[in-house]
């Protein structure tokens, strides 16, 4: 009886190992969209740069995109469809007018999450790139600069009513946008079926640059069945150790 | 009266000519990367965005490590009377151990003393690993220099820690009106030098600008103009 039980546990464990070590052959479709003054541009991030597989589930995207309306941006993101998004995004407004931007990064997830916990964080820098003596990055209509999204819907936001300024030629200021869900207890999130994402929404002064580093992580909450299974494995291992003694 | 006006015009032309003789050109932009990761491939593309300024976008790719930049370089000419480099740079260590990186952005050219310099640096550090991460430097993390001699250093002996999957702001640092007695004979540059733990990413926005300080002769000439105009009105 005990032998049969131990073999079953071993098979279950092997199954779990195989499942965890499966490697995706193709990279995830990590996309970005830039909206400015009613115009949209963007696409698959790898089409404007490169993608490198870092581990079985992690991919590194980096690239550059300059549209025809005087906006240039660059990004370097590590993503995992398991899922998380972490990295840096920079944007320069090369026009003569302040502009309102909305930039969305979106990552398909796998597998879907029935119940999640979420965490996120951001910080950034603002630079007077044209040496005019001033630069500003503000929330558009008082909204949040950073919004974490799940299936395109709001999860959490940071930096509402932001008003960052630089008042010296070629000056730079750093700002911390805060965080959520990084303490205990974990912050409950929604069920996530298809994507997670980060939305940046801000108004940037003419000729200036802003850079954001941020993270958004979603973790599945263990289901009761999984918890029972985990407990069961622990007990079985304990009994196995007793037998060997 | 006519002789006076002619002298002013000739002197002004000399002033413009003198300013324009110092030259920083787009072709003088030079990027270099060294890393403990080993050798890598460096690519930089230049696009002219104004008559005097060029956009440089590119990067360096090594084995599981990369550097990307988006950097504008303003040439030195009679209309801008200043040169500068500004932009964003991201350094990523995707290896499983800590790695050293040194990145230099140089504007090749020359300019006559005296000069005044200004600049700034700000950045973030992202720990994209499941372990405690660190960003450190031995000596200045950021340095702006002329002909290899430092004009301004920032983030000396930097030491930043980040918990797994956390972001740390590196702060921002500004300087202005730093006088330099020497001329630029070869280059003005900025240099990043740092060590990143496994899975770390450092991003910086920085500026280094300089401009000539008008010499006594130029100041005297500028002072002379109102006198001439005043005499003309009389």
């Amino acid at each position: 009886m005990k032998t049969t039980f131990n073999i079953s546990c071993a098979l279950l464990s092997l199954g779990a190992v195989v499942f965890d070590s499966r490697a995706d052959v193709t990279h995830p479709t990590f996309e970005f969209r830039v909206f400015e003054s009613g115009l949209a541009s963007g696409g698959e991030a790898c089409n404007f740069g490169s993608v490198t597989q870092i581990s079985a589930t992690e991919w590194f995207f980096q690239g550059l995109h300059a549209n025809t309306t005087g906006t240039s941006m660059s990004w370097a993101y590590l993503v995992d469809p398991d899922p998380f998004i972490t990295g840096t995004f920079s944007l320069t407004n090369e026009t003569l007018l302040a502009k309102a931007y909305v930039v969305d990064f979106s990552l398909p997830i796998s597998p879907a999450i029935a119940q999640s916990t979420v965490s996120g964080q951001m910080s950034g820098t603002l630079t007077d790139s044209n040496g005019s003596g001033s630069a500003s990055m503000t929330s558009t209509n008082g909204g949040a600069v950073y919004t974490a999204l799940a299936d395109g819907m709001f999860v959490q936001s940071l930096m509402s009513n932001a008003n960052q300024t630089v008042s010296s030629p070629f000056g730079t200021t750093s700002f911390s946008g805060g965080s959520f869900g990084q303490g205990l207890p974990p912050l409950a999130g929604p069920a996530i079926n298809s994507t997670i994402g980060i939305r940046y929404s801000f108004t940037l002064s003419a000729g200036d640059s802003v850079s954001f580093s941020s993270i958004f992580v979603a973790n599945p909450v263990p289901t009761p069945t999984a918890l029972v299974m985990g407990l069961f494995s622990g007990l079985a291992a304990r009994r196995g150790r007793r037998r060997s003694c | 009266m006519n002789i006076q006006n002619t002298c002013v015009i000739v002197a002004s032309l000399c002033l413009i000519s003198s300013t324009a003789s110092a030259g920083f050109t787009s072709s003088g932009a030079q990027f270099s990367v060294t890393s403990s990761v080993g050798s890598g491939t460096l690519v930089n593309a230049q696009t002219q965005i104004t008559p005097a300024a060029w956009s440089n976008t590119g990067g360096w790719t090594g084995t599981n490590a990369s550097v990307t930049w988006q950097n504008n370089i303003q040439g030195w000419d009679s209309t801008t009377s200043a040169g500068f480099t500004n932009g964003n740079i991201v350094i990523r260590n995707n290896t499983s151990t800590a790695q050293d990186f040194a990145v230099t952005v140089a504007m090749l050219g020359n300019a006559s003393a005296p000069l005044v310099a200004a600049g700034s640096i700000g950045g973030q550090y992202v720990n994209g690993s499941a372990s405690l991460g660190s960003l450190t430097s031995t000596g200045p993390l950021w340095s702006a220099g002329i002909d290899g001699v430092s004009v301004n250093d920032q983030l000396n002996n930097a030491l930043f820690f980040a918990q797994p999957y956390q972001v740390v702001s590196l702060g921002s640092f500004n300087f202005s009106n730093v006088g330099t007695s020497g001329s630029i004979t070869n280059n003005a540059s900025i240099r990043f030098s740092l060590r990143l733990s496994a899975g770390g990413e450092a991003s910086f926005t920085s500026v280094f600008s300089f401009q000539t300080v008008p010499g006594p002769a130029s100041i005297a000439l500028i002072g002379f103009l109102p006198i001439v105009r005043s005499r003309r009105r009389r």
Side-chain angles (χ1 to χ4, degrees):
Chain A
M1 182 69 173
K2 276 180 183 170
T3 310
T4 312
F5 171 76
N6 282 340
I7 290 170
S8 301
C9 282
L11 285 173
L12 272 172
S13 300
L14 275 173
V17 168
V18 169
F19 182 77
D20 282 341
S21 65
R22 69 185 166 77
D24 291 326
V25 177
T26 57
H27 61 76
T29 310
F30 183 53
E31 293 185 321
F32 71 92
R33 286 281 182 276
V34 186
F35 300 90
E36 52 176 289
S37 310
L39 296 171
S41 63
E44 202 172 333
C46 65
N47 290 340
F48 297 90
S50 64
V51 55
T52 310
Q53 186 166 14
I54 302 302
S55 69
T57 60
E58 294 177 345
W59 301 82
F60 180 57
F61 288 80
Q62 60 179 343
L64 306 157
H65 175 61
N67 65 18
T68 55
T69 54
T71 298
S72 62
M73 53 183 276
S74 63
W75 59 88
Y77 277 102
L78 184 69
V79 304
D80 185 338
D82 213 8
F84 69 73
I85 299 174
T86 173
T88 300
F89 155 68
S90 304
L91 185 145
T92 301
N93 174 8
E94 290 171 346
T95 71
L96 299 174
L97 299 169
K99 275 190 174 181
Y101 294 96
V102 176
V103 184
D104 281 353
F105 286 94
S106 173
L107 174 73
I109 69 162
S110 176
I113 300 174
Q115 176 68 52
S116 67
T117 60
V118 293
S119 64
Q121 191 184 12
M122 76 163 293
S123 68
T125 55
L126 169 69
T127 303
D128 172 28
S129 292
N130 60 359
S132 66
S134 68
S136 69
M137 189 283 297
T138 58
S139 294
T140 303
N141 299 323
V145 173
Y146 165 108
T147 303
L149 304 169
D151 296 334
M153 305 296 286
F154 173 92
V155 176
Q156 288 286 326
S157 65
L158 297 169
M159 282 195 87
S160 294
N161 298 308
N163 183 19
Q164 298 294 327
T165 57
V166 170
S167 55
S168 60
F170 300 112
T172 292
T173 187
S174 289
F175 50 86
S176 173
S179 64
F180 61 87
Q182 293 191 328
L184 290 173
L187 182 63
I192 308 174
N193 295 313
S194 57
T195 63
I196 64 168
I198 297 175
R199 170 172 294 165
Y200 302 96
S201 178
F202 56 91
T203 299
L204 180 63
S205 51
D208 299 322
S209 300
V210 69
S211 177
F212 301 108
S213 291
S214 61
I215 282 177
F216 178 36
V217 183
N219 286 312
V221 175
T223 60
T225 313
L227 283 173
V228 168
M229 193 72 116
L231 187 65
F232 196 53
S233 295
L235 285 172
R238 197 172 167 184
R239 289 189 68 166
R241 276 197 299 273
R242 274 192 199 158
R243 275 192 68 197
S244 61
C245 291
Chain B
M1 184 68 90
N2 285 338
I3 294 169
Q4 269 185 349
N5 282 343
T6 308
C7 286
V8 171
I9 291 165
V10 169
S12 299
L13 280 171
C14 287
L15 181 66
I16 291 168
S17 170
S18 167
T19 307
S21 67
F24 277 90
T25 61
S26 72
S27 60
Q30 192 175 70
F31 294 78
S32 65
V33 178
T34 58
S35 172
S36 56
V37 169
S39 59
T41 304
L42 190 148
V43 176
N44 184 57
Q46 288 191 329
T47 309
Q48 188 165 11
I49 51 178
T50 73
W54 284 261
S55 166
N56 292 268
T57 56
W60 172 92
T61 306
T63 306
N64 287 326
S66 66
V67 179
T68 55
W69 56 77
Q70 194 170 29
N71 193 282
N72 289 347
I73 290 184
Q74 169 81 64
W76 179 273
D77 65 20
S78 59
T79 53
T80 59
S81 72
F84 67 79
T85 173
N86 70 62
N88 306 305
I89 185 165
V90 179
I91 303 170
R92 176 87 202 180
N93 174 14
N94 283 328
T95 72
S96 57
T97 56
Q99 302 291 349
D100 295 325
F101 296 88
V103 183
T104 303
V105 182
M107 300 174 279
L108 305 182
N110 58 80
S112 301
L115 303 162
V116 289
S120 63
I121 164 88
Q124 297 95 240
Y125 165 49
V126 181
N127 178 13
S129 79
S131 307
L132 179 70
S134 65
L135 183 159
T136 60
S137 73
T138 303
L141 189 155
W142 184 87
S143 181
I146 288 176
D147 292 336
V149 177
S150 172
V151 171
N152 190 271
D153 294 337
Q154 299 291 349
L155 290 162
N156 272 296
N157 300 318
L159 178 60
F160 296 93
F161 291 104
Q163 295 296 322
Y165 303 110
Q166 287 210 349
V167 181
V168 172
S169 173
L170 305 179
S172 56
F173 307 90
N174 300 274
F175 67 96
S176 59
N177 294 321
V178 175
T180 64
S181 54
S183 300
I184 301 175
T185 58
N186 183 265
N187 71 76
S189 64
I190 54 174
R191 185 172 193 269
F192 301 85
S193 180
L194 60 139
R195 173 172 292 182
L196 269 175
S197 61
E201 179 178 295
S203 60
F204 304 98
T205 303
S206 75
V207 180
F208 179 35
S209 75
F210 53 87
Q211 61 184 40
T212 52
V213 180
S218 302
I219 292 170
L221 190 59
I222 291 163
F224 191 57
L225 277 168
I227 296 168
V228 173
R229 282 178 184 160
S230 167
R231 290 190 65 170
R232 271 190 80 183
R233 278 197 294 274
R234 277 187 209 161

